[in-house]
Amino acid sequence: MFNRIGTLSLCLVALSYVLAGCGMSNDVIKEDPAVAKKKMDAAVSLRSYFDKSNGNFDSLSEEDKAAVIKLQGSEANAREAFSHMVPSKPAGASSTGTTGGNPADMMSHNGPQGGKVGH
């Protein structure tokens, strides 16, 4: 009987330790605003080079390539960053990739003017 009670006690102690967060603090570490601004500026700059080249790293001028490589630390990192980015939507494009028209019409078999599409 004592063996079961002892085992149960040890399990409860272990469980309470886990549930308490193992003594870790849940405080959020705040980033230095100057560091955060530098990261944001780099991201905005990278995005501008991506958009300028339509996402094609090789189409950048040598000067622009050098700037992107400097931002990313290496050409491999720059190419990888470009590979993870998605082209910007053109102005007025919806999330479905269309440019205008009634979304309900786009989802049905009718086109924006009500005519049948593809039938």
Side-chain angles (χ1 to χ4, degrees):
M1 181 73 177
F2 176 76
N3 193 19
R4 288 183 179 170
I5 293 173
T7 303
L8 181 62
S9 296
L10 285 174
C11 288
L12 289 174
V13 168
L15 180 63
S16 65
Y17 182 73
V18 169
L19 292 176
C22 305
M24 301 281 295
S25 172
N26 290 329
D27 294 336
V28 176
I29 298 172
K30 295 189 178 179
E31 187 172 40
D32 178 11
V35 173
K37 182 180 181 339
K38 186 175 180 180
K39 286 181 181 179
M40 181 59 77
D41 291 346
V44 168
S45 183
L46 180 64
R47 182 73 210 191
S48 70
Y49 287 114
F50 180 85
D51 289 342
K52 180 179 181 179
S53 68
N54 292 320
N56 183 354
F57 180 82
D58 292 322
S59 72
L60 289 170
S61 69
E62 291 302 316
E63 182 180 329
D64 288 346
K65 282 182 187 177
V68 172
I69 290 169
K70 184 176 179 182
L71 285 171
Q72 295 299 306
S74 72
E75 183 174 335
N77 290 347
R79 287 182 182 278
E80 184 175 352
F82 265 47
S83 74
H84 292 292
M85 297 175 77
V86 178
S88 297
K89 292 183 217 171
S94 71
S95 61
T96 60
T98 61
T99 54
N102 183 346
D105 289 338
M106 298 298 169
M107 298 304 289
S108 71
H109 291 288
N110 297 328
Q113 283 74 35
K116 293 288 186 188
V117 176
H119 293 286

